[in-house]
Amino acid sequence: MHDPSLVFDYIIIGGGTAGCLLANRLSADASKRVLMIEAGRKDDYHWIHIPVGYLHCIGNPRCDWLYQTEPDAGLNGRSLRYPRGKTLGGSSSINGMIYMRGQARDYDRWAELTGDADWRWDNSLPHFKLHEDHYKGADPMHGARGTAPELMQNPSNAYQKMLRHRNSGGEWRIEKQRLRWDILDAFSAAAQQAGIPAIADFNRGDNEGVGYFEVNQKNGWRWNTAKAFLRPACFGRPNFELWTHAQVSKLVLEKQPDGSQRCTGVEVWTGREQLVAHATRDQGGKLGEVLLCAGSIGSPQILQLSGIGPGALLQRHGIAVQQDLPGVGENLQDHLQIRSVYKVTGDKAWGLSLNSMARSLWGKARIGLEYALKRTGPMSMAPSQLGAFTRSSPGQRWPNIQYHVQPLSLEAFGEPLHDFNAFTASVCNLNPTSRGKVEIKTPRFEDAPAIAPNYLSTPQDRQVAADSLRVTRRIVGQPALAQYKPVEFKPGVQYETDDELARLAGDIATTIFHPVGTTKMGADDDPMAVVDSHLRVRGVRGLRVVDAGVMPSITSGNTNSPTLMIAEKAAAWIQAGV
């Protein structure tokens, strides 16, 4: 007989983007006990909530796992810092706050790869809208608090009845940014002169165009998933329990009479003792579920430590193979951004770029005062303000590159701003063909896994890298930016050939923090699929993966909000027992 205090219907591993939404939805049923386990701390660090505070969160052990990639041949032997959130809210507490769904074709492709039409764009859009609180209000493409999306209008659907009863929905706030810059407006005009249309909303299925990003903020503060979905709803529910500073060391697997495996709980290190939490209910013998939401790095690591993964890898580390799934940790995809920096000059020195505004103590004081009084200005900035989606070459069938444009420049993330005015136009390949992997290095849960993104490892990706730098030069060469006399500081106009530009991309490019795909979903005949189309781990009952790792292919844009949509679908399936 298990200790009743350690027995739950649902155990959620990871208090990040997907985990917080799942906790909200599943604990809305008062008859179910829900446990969330988060390795990090509560999100009570003030820099999490001030938008520009990501500068203080990334690389900070208080809220970042501090991962590093393996030396990468595509990056000319460099290793990259690989931030992942280690706090309530997960990476939504340290990310760029950009609200981006991607393109409709991304989801139609998922439906093809899984053989499940439920993943099509038209069938995914309602699950985006269900938790949205868009500042413009509800319309056919967006949801808002106080409205009833179509998913809430079917009285026979038990999941929707539960959400309506608990007044759920509309938690994920989306607002316009609270600042603008002349230099960014000029870049937008130049992009339009280069043939990229203006766009008012990147999230209607086709994001081709240029415009300011919408962000997950509320009144000038970061809006992370802990605020949106845990507080106050979950914290006020007696059937919800939260453990922080608690790291899952492995899953508890039990062989069933028919020879199959079932996940019945988790082993957890609290920093003081090892506990076992059980996903089984003694009353009536009803079995629960374990929901792995530790992200594209953490989830494959936990699976491998538990004996679920490539058999040869597990045996090499002395781990008994419980379920040989060769796809666990494979298929890693990420958006690699190439940062072009342009020096600029203009009539006004202060305010032309953040470089000049933040150069002096007086400038920093003005920035701080504006935020304190109005919640506007540079301290309300997302890391990137202006965005653009276009094609790297005329032969591309759809927009395949994304720009993140910033009124600032620096040598590398975390280093001081340059002492001259400049803007940065970072461009990434939305649909990389390179594939990497995540593998444990030791059988110890305390040891970080090996992360090998394998960037720029295909001819297609190297060609897109070279072409995208040429697109940047074409935009910057338009008349709209001429008044600022832009001069290419990085990578440098002396580099012109495909080989030179691709090598330069390897020298200056860095991750834009969008790892996906390491526990991908797929059809029954896909030997590398880790989960089925309802996110159930193959060969192990009672276990699902619900995070960005299940994406079989990366979305055409930032990945945080697609992960929420995935969690919304998963919650409905879990509640329905399918």
Side-chain angles (χ1 to χ4, degrees), residues 21 25-26 127 130 152 156-164 567-573 575-576:
L21 185 143
R25 301 304 190 231
L26 298 178
H127 291 88
L130 185 59
M152 299 289 282
S156 64
N157 187 310
Y159 178 64
Q160 312 312 334
K161 285 172 65 177
M162 179 185 72
L163 295 191
R164 191 201 310 256
E568 193 78 80
K569 280 184 177 290
W573 291 326
Q575 194 275 340

Side-chain angles (χ1 to χ4, degrees), residues 205-527:
D206 178 4
N207 53 17
E208 186 164 17
V210 59
Y212 280 88
F213 291 122
E214 293 177 339
V215 292
N216 294 120
Q217 294 182 6
K218 192 167 187 176
N219 300 323
W221 300 98
R222 175 190 289 272
W223 194 244
N224 68 353
T225 56
K227 288 179 184 174
F229 299 103
L230 293 187
R231 291 191 296 271
C234 290
F235 290 168
R237 294 170 178 168
N239 61 320
F240 174 74
E241 190 165 328
L242 170 65
W243 297 355
T244 56
H245 301 275
Q247 187 169 353
V248 170
S249 57
K250 65 184 295 187
L251 306 171
V252 177
L253 303 176
E254 293 184 4
K255 184 158 283 190
Q256 304 300 294
D258 62 1
S260 66
Q261 294 280 3
R262 182 170 193 98
C263 184
T264 60
V266 296
E267 294 184 10
V268 186
W269 174 246
T270 68
R272 299 182 305 276
E273 60 180 335
Q274 192 86 7
L275 297 176
V276 177
H278 304 276
T280 56
R281 297 304 303 270
D282 293 327
Q283 298 175 357
K286 185 180 182 302
L287 297 173
E289 282 199 57
V290 174
L291 309 169
L292 187 49
C293 307
S296 294
I297 309 303
S299 287
Q301 179 188 20
I302 291 171
L303 288 171
Q304 291 170 6
L305 290 171
S306 306
I308 303 171
L313 170 69
L314 305 182
Q315 290 169 347
R316 191 161 71 242
H317 292 293
I319 297 173
V321 179
Q322 305 295 338
Q323 184 69 23
D324 190 348
L325 287 179
V328 173
E330 299 290 329
N331 194 47
L332 174 62
Q333 301 160 59
D334 190 15
H335 290 143
L336 182 73
Q337 65 172 351
I338 308 170
R339 299 170 59 251
S340 292
V341 175
Y342 287 84
K343 292 183 177 182
V344 291
T345 56
D347 293 335
K348 62 176 184 178
W350 198 89
L352 179 58
S353 77
L354 187 61
N355 294 14
S356 61
M357 293 181 71
R359 192 172 301 155
S360 66
L361 289 176
W362 167 238
K364 292 175 182 176
R366 283 182 62 176
I367 290 170
L369 185 62
E370 179 180 0
Y371 185 75
L373 295 177
K374 300 190 292 184
R375 298 288 180 268
T376 60
M379 287 189 70
S380 72
M381 283 172 57
S384 299
Q385 298 78 50
L386 187 77
F389 292 82
T390 189
R391 300 158 201 257
S392 61
S393 62
Q396 296 291 335
R397 295 171 56 194
W398 45 68
N400 69 314
I401 57 175
Q402 176 184 6
Y403 280 91
H404 292 78
V405 191
Q406 307 147 325
L408 55 86
S409 68
L410 36 71
E411 282 300 305
F413 190 87
E415 295 189 14
L417 297 172
H418 287 135
D419 61 1
F420 50 79
N421 278 313
F423 69 86
T424 300
S426 297
V427 62
C428 71
N429 179 355
L430 290 170
N431 310 120
T433 54
S434 299
R435 295 292 182 268
K437 59 185 177 181
V438 175
E439 292 184 342
I440 54 172
K441 294 181 178 180
T442 77
R444 289 165 38 89
F445 73 90
E446 303 95 333
D447 296 337
I451 304 168
N454 211 21
Y455 294 120
L456 299 174
S457 58
T458 65
Q460 300 96 311
D461 287 359
R462 291 193 292 274
Q463 186 63 56
V464 170
D467 289 343
S468 64
L469 284 168
R470 294 190 179 99
V471 174
T472 306
R473 289 172 174 172
R474 190 173 78 243
I475 294 171
V476 176
Q478 298 299 317
L481 276 166
Q483 61 177 310
Y484 296 106
K485 301 179 178 62
V487 175
E488 185 173 320
F489 177 68
K490 280 191 174 183
V493 295
Q494 67 271 31
Y495 304 104
E496 294 184 354
T497 69
D498 286 354
D499 287 345
E500 287 174 337
L501 291 175
R503 180 167 182 80
L504 256 294
D507 285 336
I508 66 176
T510 187
T511 175
I512 204 165
F513 319 136
H514 297 163
V516 308
T518 52
T519 51
K520 76 167 187 171
M521 57 180 165
D524 291 341
D525 59 356
D526 182 352

Side-chain angles (χ1 to χ4, degrees), residues 29-105:
D29 181 348
S31 70
K32 307 294 185 186
R33 287 196 75 209
V34 178
L35 170 66
M36 173 184 279
I37 303 169
E38 167 55 41
R41 303 168 59 165
K42 291 185 177 179
D43 58 327
D44 53 5
Y45 184 41
H46 67 283
W47 282 118
I48 288 175
H49 306 289
I50 298 171
V52 80
Y54 68 91
L55 292 168
H56 301 273
C57 293
I58 292 177
N60 183 341
R62 180 167 181 155
C63 41
D64 183 358
W65 280 96
L66 304 180
Y67 293 129
Q68 291 280 139
T69 67
E70 300 297 295
D72 198 307
L75 301 184
N76 304 322
R78 290 189 299 134
S79 174
L80 299 181
R81 177 187 288 176
Y82 217 63
R84 295 285 86 200
K86 187 181 183 182
T87 183
L88 281 184
S91 292
S92 79
S93 293
I94 67 172
N95 71 359
M97 296 165 281
I98 292 170
Y99 182 75
M100 186 65 60
R101 296 170 176 167
Q103 298 170 8
R105 66 179 180 84

